[in-house]
């Protein structure tokens, strides 16, 4: 077990004496460490026994890599490795490498070199016994360019991928990339007695025959069991028969063999970690369209499709034409050019991009396949996520884009940036659907990250749209085929202070036909470079592990005897599913729908309330036409405080956009338990470290500048109008921008709906029979919120993991912190002063538009049932609009009738899915009266009946 220390020498001199050669590069190299914010404190984080001494481990030994590592450690002001790792021969820091070169031409040294060296450290270094020695894996990337499979031998030799590049080639990469070098610091590996015992325990459990007792006696006994009976690498037969009666020399041999096995285990772990870091940063090898076509044409599914045709050659040509229309042509040079262009765009158009909750995403990106599923608010979304991933050191995804964006010159550029184009509709074109599914299967089979917008298009109303399941079904089909349980789905929330398309959204909602994307439209968009659109928020939801999601869903299915009773439920483990299980299976389709819904919930649970969304929500909720500016400021401050606190009580990552800049990670408190939240209310933190205090608290002054900027920007963007009067400034919403206001309001409606619903019930409670004599019953409020949550599921998309009782309690805690009410285990007591009532009325107005829309449609449906006994969807939506127009003209409705024209279909779909409308003969519908009873009093349905006119 002689350590191979000679491999750390160049021409007989230690590597540290060659660092002066690269010294001039110190002015040129630009280091980017990963994870972001990697600090000296994190590197020197104490072990259980004290300050660590570090063995830095590189995947391969190269002088320029060592120089880059030295530059980073110098910047962090920590000791640098100047000698190789050897027992008791270094202080503070040393260097190891998993692989070495014997010479310029010779291949790498066999794997045992590193294992022998590390084993000697494990055996002979006293710091292993004291527990202060750790291994720190370090990955260094001079390029982010993935290997291309079609490159010829000469190109592969001159410009290999970063993993096999030599010193000269890395210098070339350094010049080509402007001196940028990325350093990824992995999770450190402790080398201590306790770590050795953990290794022994794992070995013992993995090699023990079935039925053997789990207890293992002493550590020496366990070691002899592992080495004596299970060491496949034993050199002689006598080594494999060690027992408890061995002498001192025998025990030494056992320890040496354990150290070698431990070193080999660590080596395997390091290689896995290095491979994950590399895949996360660069992605898999790239393929051209011809290679992809060959792969797809050889699949059994494609052969089956072609063999079923009478003219397979013609069908194959058509299939290849579809593939050329769809497939991306990823090019690293284009991605780098787009990065520089987008650097200019974000600084010219936006003040910056604020990123939240990225740490968990960066970790799972190294663990398995990634599927990005963002909400879709703007054309900017296509580029924004890829831009961020490139900046963060993670491989950019292949993005599903609408074929309407494939026009020249944008189409070729986007295609080289990783976009693949799909048609808006391909119903009936089975061959196109097959080629698209096979292309997605190719991407996932080869570990390419995939991004698509499951809403199917940009949201014109700000709220999340009902998911479409096509591409998600293709992804699930690929996962089932490979049983790739270790796949992660990442919900992503995009929030804009001002979206570029808000003018076109309002025009389209007003009835104007959507304009087709073209080169002229692209040229006109140059004017955006001279506009101010505030900031962009990108917030990452909790990663959804596919295997866990499958297990949770079908575990619940097993507990529900009515679920797929005729067909049977699927296994809870993905590995146990039958061969050939198709995503078309009704049980799988049910899972796909539940998964898409869960993604929407994950997006909403990490939403960011921009200043625009808070301001427009306040403007749409104010009952007066004009309000003093001070009152508007107070209302915006009130909403800001609610959002700041609500997320911490719910366990969600929602926060105001004004919290922090750059990398912002919320740390919500544990979610409230409905059974203990009241009795332990004082123990629940009032806010997380990153959350602004309530506007009613003592830190109100710290919000003044933020709120003033929000209001001033609202005037600049013409969301509101200001008028000078004798007593001050009066503010009102801009009638010409009303539909724009509704878009921004919609992005955060699901959060503000919580205080809106609770405030409405608190104001309505005293006139209900369920009201207590001196307060409002808590159970009644919780039951009403649960009933409304069922009807408004697609308006809210609250996470299923958060119960309605928890949501109500969290809101009551926030309102109690603000001094508006008190509550105990059963009764809520609202303060009776005028100021409190005014604030609650304002909060109730946050949901008044939806309350009116649903009430008018329910009232119309009931009247149609009484007069005709049946109704159709189109008739109901049309009659609802007419009733809304009449009620608005008579002053009963606070919001104009065109909202029913815009949202009438969405309202109908929600009521139909909630079971309030049931199908009858001839595609007609009827009202399910028993379902209406539980919510009719909230909507005051009887009040709106008088506005419904039926011929």
């Amino acid at each position: 077990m002689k350590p191979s220390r000679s491999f750390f020498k160049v021409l007989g001199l230690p590597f540290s004496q060659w660092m002066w050669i690269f010294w001039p590069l110190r002015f040129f190299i630009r280091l980017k460490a990963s994870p972001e914010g990697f600090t000296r404190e994190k590197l020197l984080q104490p072990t259980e026994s004290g300050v660590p001494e570090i063995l830095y481990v590189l995947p391969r030994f190269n002088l320029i890599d060592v120089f880059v590592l030295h530059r980073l450690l110098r910047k962090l002001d920590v000791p640098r490795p100047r000698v190789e790792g050897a027992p008791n021969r270094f202080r503070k820091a040393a260097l190891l490498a998993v692989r070495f070169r014997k010479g310029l031409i010779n291949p790498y040294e066999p794997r045992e070199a590193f294992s022998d060296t590390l084993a000697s450290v494990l055996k002979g270094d006293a710091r292993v016994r004291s527990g202060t020695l750790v291994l720190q894996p370090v990955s260094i990337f001079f390029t982010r360019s993935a290997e291309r499979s079609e490159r010829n031998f000469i190109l592969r030799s001159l410009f290999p991928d970063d993993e096999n590049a030599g010193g000269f080639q890395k210098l070339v990469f350094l010049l080509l990339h402007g001196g940028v070098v990325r350093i990824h610091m992995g999770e450190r590996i402790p080398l201590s007695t306790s770590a050795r015992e953990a290794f022994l325990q794992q070995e013992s459990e993995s090699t023990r025959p079935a039925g053997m007792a789990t207890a293992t006696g002493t550590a020496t006994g366990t070691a002899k069991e592992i080495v004596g009976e299970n060491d496949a690498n034993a050199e002689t037969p006598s080594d494999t028969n060690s027992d408890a009666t061995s002498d001192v020399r025998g025990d030494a041999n056992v320890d040496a063999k354990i150290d070698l096995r431990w070193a080999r285990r660590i080596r395997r772990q390091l290689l896995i970690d290095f491979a994950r870091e590399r895949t996360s940063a660069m992605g898999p090898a790239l393929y051209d369209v011809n290679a992809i076509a060959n792969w797809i044409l050889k699949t059994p599914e494609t052969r089956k499709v072609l063999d079923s045709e009478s003219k397979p050659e013609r069908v194959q040509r058509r299939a290849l034409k579809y593939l050329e229309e769809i497939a991306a042509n990823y090019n690293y040079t284009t991605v780098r050019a787009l990065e520089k262009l987008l650097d200019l765009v974000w600084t010219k158009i936006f003040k910056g991009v604020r990123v939240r909750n990225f740490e968990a995403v960066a970790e799972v990106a190294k663990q398995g396949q990634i599927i990005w599923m963002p909400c879709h608010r703007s054309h900017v979304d296509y580029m924004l996520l890829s831009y961020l991933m490139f900046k963060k050191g993670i491989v950019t995804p292949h993005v599903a884009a609408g074929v309407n964006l494939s026009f020249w010159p944008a189409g070729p550029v986007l295609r080289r940036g990783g976009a693949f184009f799909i048609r808006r509709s391909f119903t009936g074109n089975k061959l196109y659907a097959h080629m698209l599914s096979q292309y997605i299967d190719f991407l996932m089979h080869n570990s390419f990250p995939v991004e698509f917008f499951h809403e199917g298009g940009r949201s014109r109303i700000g709220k999340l749209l009902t998911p479409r399941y096509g591409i998600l079904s293709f992804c699930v089909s690929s996962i089932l085929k490979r049983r790739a349980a270790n796949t992660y789905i990442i919900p992503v929330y995009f929030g804009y202070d001002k979206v570029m398309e808000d003018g076109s959204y309002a025009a389209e909602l007003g009835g104007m036909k959507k304009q087709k994307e073209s080169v002229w439209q692209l040229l006109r968009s140059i004017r955006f470079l001279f506009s101010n659109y505030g900031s962009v928020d990108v917030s990452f939801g909790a990663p959804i592990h596919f295997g866990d999601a499958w297990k949770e869903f079908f575990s619940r299915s097993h507990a529900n005897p009515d679920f797929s009773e005729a067909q049977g439920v699927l296994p809870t483990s993905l590995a146990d599913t039958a061969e050939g299980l198709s995503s078309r299976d009704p049980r799988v389709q049910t899972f796909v729908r539940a998964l898409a819904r869960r993604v929407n919930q994950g997006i909403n649970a990490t939403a960011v309330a921009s200043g625009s969304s808070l301001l427009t929500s306040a403007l749409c909720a104010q009952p007066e036409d004009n309000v003093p500016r001070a009152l508007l400021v107070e209302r915006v401050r009130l909403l800001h405080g609610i959002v700041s606190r609500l997320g911490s009580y719910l366990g969600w990552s929602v926060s105001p956009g004004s919290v922090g800049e750059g990398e912002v990670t919320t740390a919500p408190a544990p979610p409230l338990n409905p059974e203990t939240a009241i009795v332990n209310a004082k123990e629940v933190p009032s806010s997380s470290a990153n959350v602004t205090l309530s506007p009613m608290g003592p830190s109100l002054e710290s919000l003044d500048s933020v709120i003033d900027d929000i209001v001033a920007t609202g005037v600049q963007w013409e969301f509101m109008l200001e008028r000078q009067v004798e007593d001050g400034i009066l503010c009102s919403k801009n009638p010409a921008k009303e539909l724009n206001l509704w878009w921004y309001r919609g992005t955060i409606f699901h959060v503000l709906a919580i205080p809106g619903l609770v405030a409405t019930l608190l104001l309505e409670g005293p006139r209900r029979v369920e009201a207590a004599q001196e307060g409002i019953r808590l159970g009644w409020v919780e039951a009403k919120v649960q009933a409304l949550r069922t009807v408004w599921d697609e308006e809210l998309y609250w996470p299923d993991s958060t119960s309605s009782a928890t949501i109500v309690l969290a809101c009551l805690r926030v309102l109690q912190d603000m001094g508006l009410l008190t509550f105990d285990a059963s009764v809520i007591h609202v303060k009776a002063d005028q100021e409190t009532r005014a604030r609650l009325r304002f909060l109730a107005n946050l949901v008044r538009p939806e309350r009116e829309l649903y009430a008018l449609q329910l009232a119309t449906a009931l009247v149609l049932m009484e007069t005709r006994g049946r109704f159709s969807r189109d008739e109901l939506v049309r009659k609802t609009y007419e009733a809304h127009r009449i009620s608005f003209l008579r002053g009963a409705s606070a919001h104009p009738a065109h909202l029913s024209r815009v949202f009438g279909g969405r309202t109908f779909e929600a009521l139909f899915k909630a079971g309030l409308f049931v199908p009858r003969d001839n595609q007609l519908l009827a009202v399910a009266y028993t379902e209406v009873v539980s919510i009719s009093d909230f909507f005051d349905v009887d009040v709106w009946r008088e506005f419904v006119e039926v011929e």
Side-chain angles (χ1 to χ4, degrees):
M1 196 185 299
K2 183 179 179 180
S4 302
R5 291 192 296 273
S6 60
F7 293 106
F8 288 94
K9 294 183 178 180
V10 179
L11 300 179
L13 297 177
F15 66 87
S16 58
Q17 297 187 23
W18 291 95
M19 292 297 96
W20 61 271
I21 294 179
F22 302 103
W23 194 247
L25 291 178
R26 71 188 188 277
F27 301 108
F28 183 64
I29 285 180
R30 293 185 294 150
L31 301 179
K32 292 188 177 181
S34 180
E36 287 190 359
F38 191 85
T39 60
R40 180 178 188 273
E41 290 71 21
K42 187 172 183 179
L43 183 63
L44 299 180
Q45 183 178 357
T47 65
E48 296 179 358
S49 303
V51 178
E53 300 197 27
I54 304 173
L55 277 171
Y56 295 95
V57 184
L58 297 172
R60 55 208 170 275
F61 177 70
N62 192 297
L63 279 177
I64 193 170
D65 286 356
V66 179
F67 174 75
V68 170
L69 176 61
H70 273 222
R71 295 305 301 169
L72 176 65
L73 300 181
R74 182 185 181 92
K75 182 178 179 182
L76 295 176
D77 191 24
V78 296
R80 287 161 282 168
R82 299 189 179 278
V83 296
E84 69 278 8
N88 301 311
R89 288 194 58 189
F90 68 92
R91 294 183 65 252
K92 303 299 182 181
L95 183 71
L96 284 176
V98 177
R99 303 176 73 189
F100 312 86
R101 277 191 184 274
K102 288 183 176 180
L104 295 177
I105 301 177
N106 293 339
Y108 282 106
E109 174 69 11
R111 60 176 182 163
E112 293 302 323
F114 174 79
S115 300
D116 290 345
T117 302
L118 181 59
S120 67
V121 173
L122 296 176
K123 177 183 178 182
D125 200 301
R127 288 163 293 192
V128 175
R129 293 185 292 275
S130 65
T132 58
L133 194 61
V134 296
L135 288 180
Q136 177 61 62
V138 182
S139 299
I140 300 175
F141 301 110
F142 287 79
T143 179
R144 299 276 302 283
S145 177
E147 179 70 0
R148 297 198 69 95
S149 61
E150 69 273 13
R151 293 203 304 178
N152 58 40
F153 174 78
I154 296 177
L155 286 177
R156 286 175 181 272
S157 301
L158 294 178
F159 298 101
D161 60 283
D162 186 82
E163 183 178 20
N164 297 313
F168 172 75
Q169 292 153 333
K170 290 187 176 184
L171 287 174
V172 174
F173 287 145
L174 202 61
L175 293 174
L176 292 176
H177 294 82
V180 175
V181 182
R182 301 198 71 95
I183 304 181
H184 292 231
M185 309 296 284
E187 291 293 328
R188 70 185 190 183
I189 302 173
L191 304 179
S192 62
T193 303
S194 59
R196 187 176 192 268
E197 292 299 325
F199 163 73
L200 291 175
Q201 185 65 27
Q202 291 176 0
E203 288 281 291
S204 177
E205 292 176 355
S206 63
T207 58
R208 183 182 297 109
M212 182 177 289
T214 56
T216 59
T218 64
T220 304
T222 302
K224 294 177 185 300
E225 174 189 345
I226 294 171
V227 179
E229 298 181 12
N230 303 296
D231 189 359
N233 297 311
E235 297 179 0
T236 64
S238 60
D239 291 333
T240 64
N241 295 315
S242 301
D243 54 29
T245 60
S246 59
D247 57 12
V248 175
R249 177 175 297 180
D251 286 340
N253 289 337
V254 168
D255 289 340
K257 293 167 74 173
I258 290 174
D259 291 331
L260 182 58
R261 287 173 63 85
W262 187 17
R264 289 170 177 165
R265 171 71 65 84
I266 292 174
R267 180 183 183 276
R268 288 195 298 270
Q269 180 180 344
L270 287 169
L271 289 176
I272 292 172
D273 291 343
F274 287 140
R276 286 175 173 171
E277 291 281 2
R278 173 179 164 74
T279 302
S280 173
M282 297 184 181
L286 299 174
Y287 298 85
D288 61 9
V289 176
N290 291 331
I292 299 172
N294 290 333
W295 189 93
I296 292 177
L297 290 176
K298 292 177 182 178
T299 62
E301 296 85 356
T302 303
R303 297 311 314 168
K304 182 178 179 181
V305 170
L306 295 178
D307 292 343
S308 65
E309 298 290 339
S310 58
K311 297 181 179 180
E313 295 82 5
R314 180 183 297 179
V315 175
Q316 178 173 315
R317 287 195 297 270
R318 189 153 57 98
L320 294 177
K321 185 177 180 181
Y322 287 152
L323 181 62
E324 290 179 358
E325 176 187 325
I326 293 170
N329 183 25
Y330 185 92
N331 182 279
Y332 179 69
T333 303
T334 302
V335 172
R336 285 193 59 211
L338 286 173
E339 179 204 12
K340 300 303 180 184
L341 175 63
L342 293 177
D343 282 339
L344 173 66
V345 170
W346 302 141
T347 55
K348 290 291 184 180
I349 297 179
F350 300 111
K351 294 180 180 178
V353 181
R354 296 184 291 237
V355 183
R356 289 167 164 80
N357 312 316
F358 182 74
E359 290 183 0
V361 173
E363 186 60 33
V364 301
K366 307 171 188 176
Q367 305 300 324
Q369 175 85 40
I370 295 293
I371 300 175
W372 304 96
M373 293 181 63
C375 63
H376 199 7
R377 299 279 163 76
S378 169
H379 279 316
V380 176
D381 301 341
Y382 290 106
M383 299 173 287
L384 182 54
L385 185 61
S386 296
Y387 172 81
L388 284 178
M389 293 305 99
F390 193 82
K391 285 291 189 182
K392 297 287 187 180
I394 294 178
V395 61
T396 56
H398 279 59
V399 186
V403 73
N404 56 304
L405 294 177
S406 63
F407 63 90
W408 186 89
V413 174
L414 293 177
R415 198 181 294 272
R416 288 180 175 86
F420 61 95
F421 296 99
I422 60 176
R423 297 180 181 181
R424 291 296 183 187
S425 175
F426 42 89
T427 304
N429 192 339
K430 294 182 180 179
L431 182 60
Y432 181 90
H434 171 78
M435 294 305 294
L436 176 59
S437 67
Q438 289 298 299
Y439 178 71
I440 291 175
D441 183 40
F442 168 83
L443 293 178
M444 299 196 66
H445 185 87
N446 289 277
S447 300
F448 289 99
V450 177
E451 175 191 348
F452 62 92
F453 303 95
H454 65 298
E455 295 173 273
R458 292 168 293 161
S459 173
R460 266 69 173 178
I461 60 175
K463 300 176 183 177
L464 289 179
L465 304 180
T466 303
R468 297 187 179 181
Y469 310 112
I471 299 183
L472 182 57
S473 293
F474 294 153
C475 292
V476 170
S477 177
S478 177
I479 294 170
L480 291 177
K481 184 189 302 183
R482 296 173 290 113
R483 293 186 174 88
N486 196 34
T487 301
Y488 293 89
I489 299 173
I490 313 294
V492 185
Y493 176 92
F494 291 132
Y496 297 86
D497 284 348
K498 191 174 191 297
V499 71
M500 296 180 184
E501 300 97 326
D502 62 353
S504 62
Y505 290 166
E508 291 170 24
L509 292 176
M512 189 184 79
K513 185 178 179 181
K514 178 182 178 293
Q515 293 183 355
K516 184 179 179 180
E517 288 79 5
S518 66
V519 62
W520 305 114
Q521 194 177 51
L522 179 64
L523 292 175
R524 287 197 299 269
S525 65
I526 295 176
R527 70 183 188 277
F528 294 144
L529 292 174
F530 306 98
S531 303
N532 170 28
Y533 286 87
S535 298
V536 186
D537 291 288
V538 182
S539 186
F540 296 92
I544 301 172
H545 185 269
F546 187 90
D548 293 342
W550 179 277
K551 182 177 181 180
E552 292 169 11
F553 180 80
F554 285 103
S555 295
R556 291 196 302 268
S557 302
H558 280 262
N560 181 5
D562 297 329
F563 182 85
S564 300
E565 186 174 0
Q567 299 172 329
V569 292
L570 294 173
T572 56
S573 174
L574 199 62
D576 297 332
T577 55
E579 287 284 349
L581 180 63
S582 171
S583 61
R584 295 189 181 94
D585 188 297
R587 298 165 297 179
V588 178
Q589 279 299 304
T590 304
F591 169 73
V592 169
R593 290 192 291 271
L595 185 61
R597 182 171 173 270
R598 181 171 173 180
V599 170
N600 270 6
Q601 293 173 353
I603 292 171
N604 272 356
T606 190
V608 179
S610 67
S612 299
S613 65
L614 295 175
L615 176 64
T616 54
S617 297
L619 290 170
C620 292
Q622 66 182 30
E624 311 90 348
D625 292 333
N626 298 279
V627 297
R629 190 180 191 278
L631 179 57
L632 177 62
V633 167
E634 177 63 21
R635 287 172 174 173
V636 174
R637 188 181 287 113
L638 174 67
L639 299 182
H640 187 284
I642 289 175
V643 175
S644 297
R645 286 173 170 251
L646 197 56
S648 62
Y649 287 129
L650 290 172
W652 300 355
S653 297
V654 297
S655 61
S658 58
V659 175
E661 297 287 340
E663 174 68 26
V664 180
T665 303
T666 57
L672 293 175
N673 184 339
E675 298 179 358
T676 61
I678 296 175
V679 295
N680 297 329
K682 294 183 180 179
E683 299 178 9
V684 179
S686 60
S687 63
S688 66
N690 292 321
V691 173
T692 308
L693 291 177
S694 162
M696 313 317 260
S699 63
L700 189 149
E701 292 81 2
S702 64
L703 283 174
D704 284 346
S705 60
V706 172
I707 305 302
D708 286 341
D709 286 344
I710 290 174
V711 176
T713 305
V715 175
Q716 177 186 349
W717 288 336
E718 299 181 349
F719 292 156
M720 54 177 285
L721 304 175
E722 287 187 340
R723 180 165 56 91
Q724 185 72 43
V725 295
E726 293 182 1
D727 298 334
I729 299 176
L730 291 180
C731 300
S732 63
K733 60 184 178 182
N734 186 352
K737 295 281 188 177
E738 184 161 12
L739 287 176
N740 301 89
L741 304 186
W742 287 93
W743 191 94
Y744 294 101
R745 170 189 179 272
T747 62
I748 202 63
F749 172 76
H750 65 282
V751 176
L752 297 182
I754 297 174
L757 287 175
V758 171
T760 301
L761 293 171
L762 294 180
L763 292 173
E764 298 289 329
R767 65 186 181 91
R768 307 297 183 189
V769 295
E770 292 85 355
Q773 183 176 1
E774 295 183 356
I776 303 167
R777 290 179 182 172
L778 177 60
W780 175 78
V781 175
E782 292 174 351
K784 286 296 179 183
V785 169
Q786 176 58 38
L788 293 166
R789 179 180 184 175
T790 303
V791 177
W792 280 3
D793 181 61
E794 295 189 2
E795 301 281 359
L796 305 172
Y797 283 114
W798 290 339
D800 288 337
S801 57
T802 309
S803 68
S804 298
T806 299
I807 290 172
V808 170
L809 288 172
C811 183
L812 293 177
R813 283 296 316 275
V814 172
L815 298 180
Q816 179 177 258
D817 291 345
M818 293 180 171
L820 302 181
L821 54 80
T822 59
F823 69 101
D824 53 32
S826 60
V827 179
I828 306 167
H829 301 274
V830 180
K831 290 190 175 181
D833 60 278
Q834 292 286 343
E835 185 178 357
T836 296
R837 305 292 291 186
R839 286 174 177 163
L840 289 178
R841 282 194 295 271
F842 166 71
L843 294 178
N845 282 337
L846 293 170
V847 298
R848 183 175 177 180
E850 283 74 13
R851 192 181 179 195
E852 289 183 355
L853 290 170
Y854 281 78
L856 281 162
Q857 194 160 104
L858 282 173
T860 305
L862 291 172
V863 172
L864 289 173
M865 281 292 294
E866 293 171 359
T867 56
R868 299 180 181 178
R870 301 285 190 276
F871 55 87
S872 67
R873 177 192 182 279
D874 293 340
E875 180 185 25
L876 176 62
V877 173
R878 177 170 54 84
K879 289 294 183 182
T880 301
Y881 168 72
E882 294 174 358
H884 196 164
R885 181 172 54 83
I886 295 171
S887 66
F888 181 72
L889 293 175
R890 296 182 185 177
S893 175
H895 303 281
H898 66 254
L899 293 180
S900 279
R901 190 190 300 276
V902 172
F903 299 105
R906 180 182 174 91
T907 303
F908 170 84
E909 295 298 331
L911 293 172
F912 180 78
K913 290 180 179 179
L916 276 71
F917 301 149
V918 293
R920 289 293 183 261
D921 297 335
N922 299 322
Q923 297 183 340
L924 297 179
L925 302 162
V927 174
Y929 289 102
T930 54
E931 301 294 334
V932 174
V933 170
S934 62
I935 60 172
S936 59
D937 56 345
F938 173 81
F939 290 114
D940 282 335
V941 174
D942 292 336
V943 173
W944 303 96
R945 285 172 172 263
E946 62 178 282
F947 305 109
V948 181
E949 295 182 353
V950 179
E951 296 84 359

